[in-house]
Amino acid sequence: MSVDLVVRNCTVVTPAGRSPDSGVAVEDGTIVAVGRSDRLPDADRVLDGEGNVLVPGVVDCHIHNREPGLEYKEDWESATRAAAAGGVTTVVGMPNTDPVIDRPEHLELKFERGEASAHVDFQSYAVVTSENLDLIPEIDEAGALGYKIFLGSTVGDVPPPGDGEILEAMERIRETGKRLGFHEENGEIIDYYTERFKSEGRNEPIDHSHSRPVIAEREAVERMLTFAEETGAKIHMFHVSSGSAAEAVARGKTRGIDVTAETTPHYLWFTEDVMRQKGNVARVQPPIRDADERERLWDVGIDDGAIDCIATDHAPHTPAEKLVDDPFGNTWDAISGFVGLETEVPAMLTFVDRGRLTLEEWVRRHSTRPAQVWGMYPQKGSLQIGTDADFTVVDPDREWTLEDRTALHSKNCVTPFEGESFTGRAVATVVRGAVVAEDGDVVGESGYGTRVDVD
């Protein structure tokens, strides 16, 4: 018997454990065997894992690929090129594009653009506003992975529905069986402090962070938990930035609410001191928090399990929009967000190297749980026989520094991780049996990636 591809001489790691000197066999884009290297079949192509670690393909359930409408920042091709280079096999795009993804035809346009140019597999959320509650069933039929509401002011200025409309949206989305996620910040609190700080001449990058206090995040989480408890909807908290918000999520889980949550490498890596060190380059919403909130995020979110998923909130902007030439300039003239698809795996592997979590715990949060939360498992996020042959091979011991952001693959590469040092890196990315990247070089073809089907 000969198959299309075999990857051997790896330590295979899943949430259930690790198997040394093992590998995976692939035929017609699906996994046909997982086991000891010497028991795998012959293959048309053999990749030697050289003792590295093979894991189920990394799933990033929170990226801004900017297409349609904002392609000067990023598009499906460049975002998924970065994903492939970074070891990410599936991405989920956010809906604050132009037009916003708020109706079936806009979702279909986003899917069509992805099918034409993506390097890895993909999906998309649809936004819920006051104007499209009646379209929720049609958006579901068009194939949306889930739904999102922006509760606070954010890039794209997508207005949130009123509280009564959110309750109605939850009831309608509950009937679809899909999950509703939130940008969870209280807009009234943010708007108040933003205007106050501007009037007081508080224009430094750290002032932007303090204009979006932890209470704005925590209140939004707790309010949506109450609404979900009332309606029985499944909900998700995107980009949890603070221990306080993670504690609120934990309380919701204890109450039996179907709530899941994600955080990002930048909230786990940096403290708000980065705003004083790197300025508006690190400006993001919600902002990076102080050391106490970061440690509580680790303690409650990661160690105690309140956080289900790791994602990036990959959000490219041009250097001019990020005030790169004047990073400590007036923060209200800067924009929030930065890239993350090529630093998320190295950051998490560095945490593994430091002993903050195990390889198994990393895989669970960065592959298996995102796929489960968003209805893509086991086709994504597993190494089960008969599922998509998506996997990431990483060298957990490779030490390196991101010395120059322009080495990244996005259209715009501004990131506070420039200058940071890592232990660990993706060395091969395989999507449905095709090697799409090796040692950071993208070798797959644009347009190979396809939409992930969900029920």
Side-chain angles (χ1 to χ4, degrees):
M1 172 186 175
S2 179
V3 297
D4 295 333
L5 173 70
V6 162
V7 183
R8 62 174 85 243
N9 299 328
C10 298
T11 295
V12 174
V13 178
T14 70
R18 60 187 75 184
S19 302
D21 193 19
S22 296
V24 179
V26 178
E27 177 73 11
D28 294 331
T30 62
I31 295 172
V32 294
V34 180
R36 289 184 56 86
S37 294
D38 59 5
R39 296 181 181 177
L40 294 173
D42 295 332
D44 297 338
R45 181 178 182 184
V46 176
L47 288 182
D48 186 348
E50 299 179 344
N52 288 316
V53 171
L54 184 151
V55 303
V58 171
V59 177
D60 190 332
C61 56
H62 188 157
I63 78 159
H64 295 267
N65 68 289
R66 305 301 188 199
E67 189 173 10
L70 302 169
E71 290 86 351
Y72 76 95
K73 297 175 186 279
E74 188 82 297
D75 56 30
W76 272 126
E77 192 282 326
S78 58
T80 56
R81 180 171 10 114
V88 179
T89 59
T90 302
V91 297
V92 186
M94 283 291 161
N96 53 334
T97 51
D98 185 12
V100 294
I101 309 305
D102 62 351
R103 56 198 63 245
E105 55 267 33
H106 295 169
L107 180 64
E108 290 162 3
L109 174 62
K110 194 173 183 77
F111 286 153
E112 289 170 5
R113 297 283 185 88
E115 294 283 355
S117 63
H119 290 270
V120 305
D121 288 353
F122 61 89
Q123 248 289 347
S124 178
Y125 303 109
V127 74
V128 176
T129 70
S130 298
E131 308 299 323
N132 71 339
L133 299 179
D134 291 342
L135 295 176
I136 286 172
E138 294 178 39
I139 292 170
D140 175 52
E141 292 175 6
L145 187 69
Y147 300 84
K148 181 173 185 179
I149 289 176
F150 294 87
L151 291 177
S153 59
T154 190
V155 176
D157 293 325
V158 181
D163 283 353
E165 292 166 327
I166 293 173
L167 286 167
E168 182 177 347
M170 284 187 176
E171 291 168 350
R172 290 173 182 257
I173 292 170
R174 182 194 63 218
E175 296 303 312
T176 72
K178 299 288 176 65
R179 191 172 292 271
L180 170 62
F182 295 92
H183 177 120
E184 62 278 9
E185 290 184 286
N186 180 300
E188 291 187 9
I189 293 174
I190 292 167
D191 291 346
Y192 170 78
Y193 283 108
T194 297
E195 292 308 311
R196 174 179 155 186
F197 286 9
K198 286 180 178 180
S199 69
E200 294 172 352
R202 298 175 60 179
N203 301 323
E204 296 182 2
I206 193 65
D207 294 320
H208 171 265
S209 299
H210 293 167
S211 74
R212 307 177 82 96
V214 168
I215 183 59
E217 182 179 36
R218 193 185 77 195
E219 187 279 337
V221 171
E222 292 177 337
R223 180 158 44 99
M224 292 307 105
L225 286 169
T226 300
F227 288 8
E229 192 170 39
E230 173 69 19
T231 62
K234 298 189 294 187
I235 62 171
H236 181 79
M237 300 301 164
F238 290 113
H239 49 46
V240 171
S241 69
S242 64
S244 295
E247 289 165 355
V249 170
R251 290 191 293 271
K253 290 176 183 282
T254 299
R255 283 155 54 189
I257 299 168
D258 191 341
V259 56
T260 56
E262 74 187 33
T263 193
T264 73
H266 52 266
Y267 296 129
L268 298 171
W269 187 282
F270 297 108
T271 71
E272 67 174 23
D273 287 342
V274 72
M275 303 305 297
R276 301 179 179 96
Q277 298 159 355
K278 301 188 179 186
N280 289 307
V281 166
R283 189 187 197 266
V284 65
Q285 297 169 177
I288 295 167
R289 305 299 186 180
D290 65 25
D292 175 69
E293 288 288 351
R294 182 187 66 175
E295 288 312 303
R296 287 162 58 206
L297 179 59
W298 270 104
D299 292 344
V300 178
I302 304 301
D303 297 343
D304 294 345
I307 297 295
D308 298 85
C309 310
I310 299 297
T312 57
D313 193 9
H314 174 87
H317 299 289
T318 67
E321 289 173 321
K322 292 294 293 178
L323 302 188
V324 166
D325 291 338
D326 184 20
F328 296 96
N330 189 327
T331 193
W332 310 114
D333 295 333
I335 199 166
S336 289
F338 42 78
V339 299
L341 279 164
E342 294 178 74
T343 53
E344 60 181 311
V345 169
M348 297 310 298
L349 288 172
T350 302
F351 292 135
V352 171
D353 181 69
R354 294 174 181 173
R356 294 305 304 255
L357 74 169
T358 66
L359 281 169
E360 290 87 349
E361 290 166 341
W362 165 58
V363 171
R364 184 170 69 86
R365 285 190 170 89
H366 217 164
S367 178
T368 302
R369 274 305 278 155
Q372 291 172 335
V373 165
W374 293 107
M376 297 182 284
Y377 186 86
Q379 208 62 24
K380 304 298 184 183
S382 83
L383 294 178
Q384 295 183 23
I385 304 302
T387 62
D388 285 350
D390 294 357
F391 39 88
T392 305
V393 181
V394 302
D395 180 348
D397 300 316
R398 184 176 298 187
E399 297 181 354
W400 64 287
T401 299
L402 179 57
E403 296 177 348
D404 181 359
R405 69 174 187 271
T406 62
L408 302 176
H409 290 77
S410 286
K411 280 188 178 181
N412 294 283
C413 302
V414 178
T415 171
F417 282 102
E418 185 174 25
E420 300 295 310
S421 295
F422 306 94
T423 302
R425 192 167 194 170
V427 295
T429 309
V430 178
V431 177
R432 286 177 289 108
V435 180
V436 298
E438 292 183 88
D439 278 321
D441 294 325
V442 178
V443 297
E445 294 184 359
S446 170
Y448 174 75
T450 192
R451 185 184 85 181
V452 180
D453 289 329
V454 291
D455 294 331

